[in-house]
Amino acid sequence: MLIIKILVALAVLYALYMIAVEINKYTQKKYRYLFLNKITLITSLSGYGASFFGYNWYVNALSQHGDILNGQILMAIGAILLLWTIYTNIDKTGLFTGAIFTVIQQVLYLVVGAAGLFILVLLFAVYAQAKPVYRID
């Protein structure tokens, strides 16, 4: 059963990759704009991260009767980054195309971000293993 789950996950990732390639081909041909690029990826993932950690900070401060402004500022920064990505996409491609492809783009970036975070945690776990210590008298 595990092999089937792994194969399905790989098939889904490949399908998402093919969707990304086709979207970039279409927008490059029609608008001379690569829709899925490094700048929008970094901006979107930074916006998601700032919003996530800002929300956690805000909820933690509320429960401890602390300063909620730090969390609100982080959430605002995250929202601004995401809105900038949306604005850039709509400005380069038009309202309808920009809105539809932005939704697809953000879903793809969420999957990439989650997979990247999982891989990062896995790498930390692999490299943080305790090594044997040899004592020579």
Side-chain angles (χ1 to χ4, degrees):
M1 189 66 177
L2 179 63
I3 297 297
I4 294 173
K5 288 179 184 178
I6 291 172
L7 290 175
V8 168
L10 289 175
V12 167
L13 289 175
Y14 181 73
L16 291 175
Y17 174 74
M18 292 310 297
I19 289 170
V21 168
E22 291 303 316
I23 287 172
N24 270 347
K25 281 182 188 176
Y26 174 75
T27 56
Q28 179 66 29
K29 181 179 171 185
K30 187 164 183 176
Y31 301 107
R32 292 189 202 144
Y33 174 66
L34 287 176
F35 213 78
L36 302 164
N37 56 40
K38 290 178 188 174
I39 300 296
T40 57
L41 174 67
I42 291 169
T43 305
S44 295
L45 291 181
S46 299
Y48 287 137
S51 297
F52 176 77
F53 290 115
Y55 177 75
N56 285 341
W57 198 340
Y58 174 76
V59 169
N60 191 21
L62 273 179
S63 67
Q64 297 177 356
H65 303 292
D67 185 16
I68 61 172
L69 184 61
N70 296 326
Q72 290 173 336
I73 289 173
L74 268 180
M75 287 189 294
I77 290 170
I80 288 169
L81 289 172
L82 291 172
L83 289 173
W84 179 82
T85 303
I86 293 168
Y87 170 76
T88 302
N89 291 338
I90 290 174
D91 183 47
K92 300 283 185 183
T93 60
L95 180 63
F96 182 73
T97 306
I100 296 295
F101 283 160
T102 298
V103 170
I104 296 169
Q105 175 190 48
Q106 296 305 313
V107 169
L108 289 174
Y109 286 167
L110 275 174
V111 171
V112 167
L117 183 62
F118 177 73
I119 291 169
L120 185 65
V121 168
L122 190 66
L123 287 174
F124 278 139
V126 166
Y127 287 113
Q129 291 180 357
K131 303 294 181 202
V133 177
Y134 299 102
R135 182 175 167 187
I136 300 174
D137 290 329

